[in-house]
Amino acid sequence: MQSARRSVGRAAAFLLALIVCVPALHAANEKIRLHVDDYQIDATIAPVTHKLTARAKVKFTALEDLATATLELNNALRVTAVTDDKGQTLQAERVSQDNTVRVALPAGLPKGQSMSLTFDYEGTLSNADESPVEGLKLAYVGNDITYLLYASRWFPMSNYGINRFSATISITAPTDFEIIGSGKESSGKVSIAGGESEEPKSAAAKARRQLGNTRDVQAKKEAAPSGATHTVTYTWDKPSFPGTIIAGKFVKTTSSEGGLNLTVWTLDDKKKFAQEYASTATKELFFDITLFAPPISSTLNIVQLPDDTVPSAWAPEIAAIAGHNIGEKVNYRLLANTIAHQWWGVEVSPANKNDWWLNDGFARYTEALYLEHLVGTAGFEEAVKDMSVGALAYQSVPLSSIGTLDVFSPEFQSVVSDKGAMILHMLRFVLGDSKFNTAMRTFAQQNSMKPVTVDQFREACEKIYGNSLVWFFSQWVDSTSAPEFKNKYTIFRMGNGKGFRIVGEISQDLDLFHMPVEMKVDTDGKTENKTIDVVGTNSPYALETFGKPRRITIDPNDRVLKNSTDIQLRTAILRGQALVQQGDLAEALKQFQSALAINKNSSLGHYRIAEVFYLQRNYQAAANEYRDSLNGDGEPRWTEVWSYIQLGKIFDITGQRERAVNSYRQAIQTNDNTQGAMDDARKYLNKPYEREKTSAQQ
């Protein structure tokens, strides 16, 4: 991905980041027939051969009478044996279409009864070919970082992201690998050239020895063919999602500020940034603690991910960030969102797929609240605009029926995250800051380590609010529409110096709409703010001011999710960015062109079209669009500096170094360092830009 798109395309990158927080589930219409209670997993990673060898004992409870147990497992992993509690070998069928393994239960399992199955399996995890998300690498075994993300289904799973479970996970890896997981850590045996030098100390390690066989010995030899291996066990005994393991040749940076046990794990080239990330993470944790009470654990590991996977991932006690997001300038928003999942995901999680916004929407708004705390109102208002765009980018399905969509689709991700966040933003306006904060804190405390529903959240808010909120949740959770306000009014001068009277009507096209709406009246004197209860399509009002009204603005602080020409333009652009991420450049162009139909001078619209032409290597068309972006409305401001940089790259690619140098100098003159623009401009000023060769060219 080119640096300009990676640097400034935050909205599209965010959609991708959500994949780790929006796990793969069965189809919406497939009934969940079992609940996994606990895992006992022993796995060996062999970085040289990219191989994972594992045994997983899965304890589950039948939610209805079962003849077959169906569990999800990454298609790259081959099941070699399945046994029941008595050691009897069972027949397993691999169904690659939905990444599942189906095990016949000869005696069946009645509803409410529990049993365990033990799976032996192995496979090579080196690319995204068998990923549960097409084209996206979620699990990888190799140097220098091995990652087994929960979303990859590297162990047998059911109802991913909803089924809370406990787990004891033992990982064997070369001794120069640090291993990070969730829960209480204990060290097991160390092996040198296949021989154990220490007696296993943990129960899981002892169980591993009892279950030891030729497969285990061979796996250890593959893990470190010319050196030693060690085993680390993580035990998480509370129902949550402790399914992510990250291992690698990490450098450890610790912080114990405020009693927290915070560790930053980076490769050596990122170590210089670790302390600043530790400091930022500490501030964000304490901010969240102030809002929601202490998390279930005071331990947090900030872990570097490679750049070939998602931008971020979370698990109990883990906030993982891709290497390109770790630099001199801390990506505090991405970090804040990822850390927020220690509450909204780890502690409190959705009871079903239609409740998913209680996870990602809550984390997104927590990120926005931290931004408000850090930079003030202006930065927060920009974040609200971004959330409004994401909330209205797709309006085909309401949040209450979001489970009908594919969880990996841009529609699902955009709605659960951004519309979910906007619902909280509007709820804050309705309740007021004090009651809103109390409701959020109480909800988090009372539902710690539990799945929750939207109705439970509504009831918790109603208890604090002191009145019914059915009208609010019906409008925003059960509906897809948003109003577009219009205002008609007449101003009358009142006698005897009493000021002015405004008689008007707010109209919009949603018959069932009901929300309080702010109005800002700019007068010759002071600015006056009023709140109007807007109900139905036409809402009359009457206001009195002392100074003569000059301008009336509806919802000046964006307290209500609403349509406007600016929002329509930005939503078209967001949909186009999502299509670019999917590789559908032709459809992306149509979306960007529809944005220009709304505003032909949109700098952002021209910039995004230029990006598509650049990806297609249509350099002349790209250059024309970058120039149109420079001559447009200048919104957002960063389009100027990055248009100059991109023009410079095009000139370098086409052998026009003098013109390239001039463009880089113009970029530097903007003094806009959005996402490191100045660094890139200076770098290419000193050394010509060279486009990476495609595999076909190599």
Side-chain angles (χ1 to χ4, degrees), residues 42-65:
D42 290 281
T44 299
I45 57 174
V48 174
T49 58
H50 307 292
K51 188 174 181 180
L52 173 73
T53 304
R55 172 179 290 121
K57 184 177 181 180
V58 185
K59 180 183 177 182
F60 61 92
T61 300
L63 301 179
E64 60 178 45
D65 293 346

Side-chain angles (χ1 to χ4, degrees), residues 300-304 313-315 317-321 335 338-339 342:
L300 183 66
N301 294 285
I302 310 296
V303 192
Q304 179 181 343
W314 59 267
E317 301 183 337
I318 294 175
I321 305 293
L335 186 61
T338 310
I339 288 175
Q342 294 303 307

Side-chain angles (χ1 to χ4, degrees), residues 422-442:
M422 281 303 299
I423 288 174
L424 291 185
H425 181 59
M426 292 185 287
L427 187 63
R428 178 185 174 190
F429 173 51
V430 172
L431 270 62
D433 283 2
S434 179
K435 288 186 176 181
F436 174 78
N437 292 338
T438 300
M440 294 292 285
R441 185 181 182 88
T442 302

Side-chain angles (χ1 to χ4, degrees), residues 634-653:
E635 293 294 334
R637 182 170 173 262
W638 58 257
T639 53
E640 179 184 13
V641 64
W642 280 104
S643 290
Y644 280 128
I645 291 173
Q646 290 302 106
L647 280 169
K649 288 181 179 181
I650 290 172
F651 291 138
D652 269 335
I653 291 169

Side-chain angles (χ1 to χ4, degrees), residues 280-595:
T280 301
T282 298
K283 294 174 184 175
E284 293 177 342
L285 275 168
F286 279 119
F287 175 79
D288 292 350
I289 288 170
T290 301
L291 289 179
F292 313 127
I296 196 68
S297 173
S298 61
T299 295
L300 183 66
N301 294 285
I302 310 296
V303 192
Q304 179 181 343
L305 285 174
D307 291 338
D308 63 354
T309 184
V310 291
S312 68
W314 59 267
E317 301 183 337
I318 294 175
I321 305 293
H324 66 262
N325 288 312
I326 300 175
E328 185 174 353
K329 185 177 180 180
V330 177
N331 193 333
Y332 64 88
R333 291 188 63 176
L334 180 62
L335 186 61
N337 187 290
T338 310
I339 288 175
H341 282 289
Q342 294 303 307
W343 285 265
W344 312 118
V346 172
E347 287 206 44
V348 180
S349 60
N352 61 67
K353 197 173 169 188
N354 290 331
D355 301 318
W356 211 275
W357 66 275
L358 299 178
N359 178 339
D360 292 335
F362 279 42
R364 180 82 158 107
Y365 197 59
T366 303
E367 169 201 338
L369 290 173
Y370 182 73
L371 181 67
E372 181 181 34
H373 165 76
L374 190 67
V375 302
T377 303
F380 177 73
E381 288 176 350
E382 283 303 310
V384 170
K385 289 179 182 178
D386 288 342
M387 294 186 302
S388 297
V389 171
L392 296 176
Y394 305 96
Q395 300 184 58
S396 59
V397 177
L399 272 172
S400 58
S401 302
I402 198 68
T404 59
L405 297 181
D406 176 0
V407 293
F408 294 106
S409 67
E411 293 92 335
F412 184 94
Q413 295 169 18
S414 181
V415 173
V416 297
S417 176
D418 287 318
K419 188 170 184 180
M422 281 303 299
I423 288 174
L424 291 185
H425 181 59
M426 292 185 287
L427 187 63
R428 178 185 174 190
F429 173 51
V430 172
L431 270 62
D433 283 2
S434 179
K435 288 186 176 181
F436 174 78
N437 292 338
T438 300
M440 294 292 285
R441 185 181 182 88
T442 302
F443 183 67
Q445 289 176 322
Q446 292 181 348
N447 294 285
S448 179
M449 308 311 294
K450 297 177 183 177
V452 292
T453 66
V454 173
D455 283 341
Q456 286 176 286
F457 179 57
R458 174 182 54 78
E459 290 165 2
C461 292
E462 287 176 337
K463 188 173 182 180
I464 302 299
Y465 182 50
N467 211 333
S468 173
L469 288 167
V470 170
W471 59 271
F472 177 88
F473 282 83
S474 176
Q475 167 66 38
W476 299 112
V477 178
D478 299 332
S479 174
T480 61
S481 304
E484 185 170 358
F485 295 124
K486 296 178 181 178
N487 188 19
K488 295 180 180 180
Y489 58 90
T490 303
I491 300 172
F492 300 94
R493 182 189 294 272
M494 295 190 293
N496 301 321
K498 292 182 179 180
F500 298 83
R501 183 177 181 84
I502 307 168
V503 177
E505 183 179 80
I506 296 176
S507 62
Q508 51 82 40
D509 58 0
L510 304 179
D511 179 52
L512 300 180
F513 183 79
H514 175 202
M515 273 289 288
V517 177
E518 287 182 328
M519 295 186 68
K520 176 183 175 183
V521 183
D522 293 314
T523 74
D524 287 339
K526 66 178 183 179
T527 298
E528 299 192 29
N529 294 290
K530 309 288 183 180
T531 299
I532 305 298
D533 199 26
V534 176
V535 180
T537 55
N538 297 287
S539 300
Y541 66 87
L543 304 175
E544 293 183 1
T545 65
F546 182 76
K548 183 176 180 180
R550 297 297 182 186
R551 182 183 180 188
I552 301 176
T553 306
I554 300 177
D555 190 32
N557 299 310
D558 293 319
R559 303 282 195 177
V560 179
L561 179 61
K562 58 185 181 295
N563 261 310
S564 67
T565 54
D566 179 60
I567 291 294
Q568 291 165 9
L569 182 145
R570 294 174 67 174
T571 54
I573 290 174
L574 181 61
R575 288 192 294 266
Q577 287 178 262
L579 290 165
V580 170
Q581 291 289 326
Q582 297 170 39
D584 193 345
L585 300 185
E587 287 300 317
L589 268 178
K590 291 180 182 178
Q591 288 294 331
F592 296 145
Q593 287 163 350
S594 70

